[in-house]
């Protein structure tokens, strides 16, 4: 299963400036492992203690993966994975 | 409007050297400043949030996009994730990028909190903080937040630009 992964500005230093890279995997978890193999350190920015990091949003096509099974989200050939920084903050 | 720095590295960020850049300046037309303050006042006591997009690479804010605070909270904000994806796709299609990320503090000063610093994920953006704690006095300040380092920058308010989208 080959998918394309859109990389946000803040993580592009890890993909040699590439805005979009391809990765293989049948689940989001496998895709992230494949990204980590090719771009060391990238996986750690996306997953912490076995769960998606709260500082990023990951989408498969139009769906936020928090609503489609998280790391277990199933992927099809040609799916578009988008990583965005979560935009959040507050008083404290 | 200059000067202060405070550190506290977000856990997902490592030094890239970009924080060494000199403090810059946010140049922003008066109509956009007024629109941000108006949004913050309208949503008070909840925190208001949004972005100003501009042509990629220009550092010029031109198109205000108020965002839904999915938390609807007086102490926290988070862009609605579906709305954010639509926005980023639209900016891509228009060859725009995020020039300003803004939000309000409703009971504290217009300075980035630890949470703001931890989440700051747009190294090229100006982070604008508005405080609505005093009903008749607006605080409008701008920062760079890179690798967990906050650098306040000058805000230069330009004459109103009839071409901006507010």
């Amino acid at each position: 299963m080959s998918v394309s992964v859109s990389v946000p500005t803040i993580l592009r230093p890890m993909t040699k400036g590439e805005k979009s890279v391809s990765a293989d995997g049948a689940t989001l978890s496998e895709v992230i492992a494949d990204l980590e193999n090719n771009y060391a350190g990238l996986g750690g920015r996306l997953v912490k203690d076995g769960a998606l990091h709260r500082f990023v949003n990951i989408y498969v096509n139009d769906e936020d993966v928090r609503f489609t099974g998280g790391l277990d989200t199933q992927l099809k050939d040609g799916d578009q994975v988008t990583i965005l920084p979560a935009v959040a903050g507050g008083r404290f | 409007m200059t000067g202060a720095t405070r550190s506290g590295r977000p856990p997902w960020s490592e030094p890239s050297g970009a924080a060494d850049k000199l403090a810059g300046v946010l140049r922003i037309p008066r109509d956009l400043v007024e629109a941000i303050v108006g949004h913050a006042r309208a949503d008070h006591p909840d925190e208001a949030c949004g972005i100003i997009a501009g042509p990629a690479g220009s550092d010029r804010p031109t198109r205000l996009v108020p965002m839904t605070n999915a938390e609807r909270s007086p102490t926290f904000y988070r862009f609605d994730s579906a709305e954010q994806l639509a926005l980023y796709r639209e900016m891509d299609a228009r060859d725009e990028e995020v020039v300003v990320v803004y939000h309000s503090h409703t009971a504290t000063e217009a300075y980035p909190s630890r949470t703001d610093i931890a989440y700051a994920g747009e190294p090229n953006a100006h982070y604008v903080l508005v405080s609505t704690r005093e009903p008749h006095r607006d605080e409008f300040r701008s920062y760079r937040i890179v690798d967990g380092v906050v650098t306040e920058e000058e805000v230069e308010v330009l004459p109103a630009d009839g071409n901006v989208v507010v």
Side-chain angles (χ1 to χ4, degrees):
Chain A
M1 238 65 72
S2 177
V3 300
S4 84
V5 181
S6 161
V7 180
T9 307
I10 195 166
L11 297 179
R12 284 179 208 156
M14 314 188 80
T15 57
K16 302 181 179 72
E18 291 296 327
K19 193 174 171 179
S20 181
V21 299
S22 59
D24 291 320
T27 63
L28 182 59
S29 190
E30 290 177 18
V31 161
I32 291 174
D34 190 47
L35 288 172
E36 175 64 26
N37 277 338
N38 292 317
Y39 309 101
L42 185 51
R45 304 297 189 92
L46 308 178
V47 173
K48 188 186 177 195
D49 301 331
L52 281 174
H53 213 300
R54 66 193 168 102
F55 296 100
V56 290
N57 294 342
I58 301 182
Y59 306 84
V60 172
N61 302 323
D62 292 333
E63 298 293 330
D64 184 331
V65 299
R66 290 192 175 89
F67 307 115
T68 60
L71 290 169
D72 297 327
T73 300
Q74 305 280 317
L75 297 172
K76 302 183 305 295
D77 215 34
D79 274 348
Q80 169 71 47
V81 175
T82 303
I83 305 167
L84 295 181
V87 184
R91 183 187 303 179
F92 301 109
Chain B
M1 295 191 184
T2 53
T5 62
R6 192 181 290 181
S7 73
R9 180 174 304 161
W12 71 306
S13 176
E14 286 166 14
S16 67
D20 297 337
K21 277 191 280 192
L22 289 174
V25 54
L26 170 63
R27 292 188 179 85
I28 180 170
R30 179 168 302 281
D31 30 6
L32 287 173
V33 173
E34 287 169 357
I36 288 177
V37 172
H39 181 200
R41 290 285 176 200
D43 284 12
H44 185 91
D46 287 345
E47 293 197 5
C49 56
I51 64 119
I52 310 178
S58 71
D59 201 33
R60 206 158 46 80
T62 56
R63 187 168 72 92
L64 182 86
V65 186
M67 298 291 284
T68 302
N69 178 359
E71 305 285 331
R72 297 185 198 286
S73 158
T75 59
F76 196 72
Y77 81 95
R78 176 189 289 273
F79 284 6
D80 175 83
S81 74
E83 198 175 51
Q84 188 189 345
L85 178 65
L87 168 66
Y88 276 64
R89 284 189 176 160
E90 183 187 55
M91 287 191 299
D92 251 1
R94 298 167 62 122
D95 200 21
E96 290 176 331
E97 64 188 3
V98 176
V99 178
V100 170
V101 178
Y102 72 88
H103 78 282
S104 61
H105 284 173
T106 57
T108 53
E109 73 170 320
Y111 193 89
S113 66
R114 272 192 310 172
T115 311
D116 294 336
I117 297 165
Y119 273 98
E122 290 290 357
N124 298 328
H126 303 266
Y127 280 85
V128 164
L129 270 288
V130 173
S131 176
T132 55
R133 63 181 164 171
E134 294 184 46
H136 303 295
R137 196 174 72 86
D138 302 318
E139 283 177 65
F140 185 103
R141 295 164 71 180
S142 183
Y143 307 86
R144 294 287 187 169
I145 309 177
V146 179
D147 300 335
V149 177
V150 177
T151 308
E152 185 160 10
E153 60 184 5
E154 197 179 327
V155 177
E156 186 182 331
V157 179
L158 306 173
D161 177 344
N163 296 317
V164 299
V165 178
V166 298

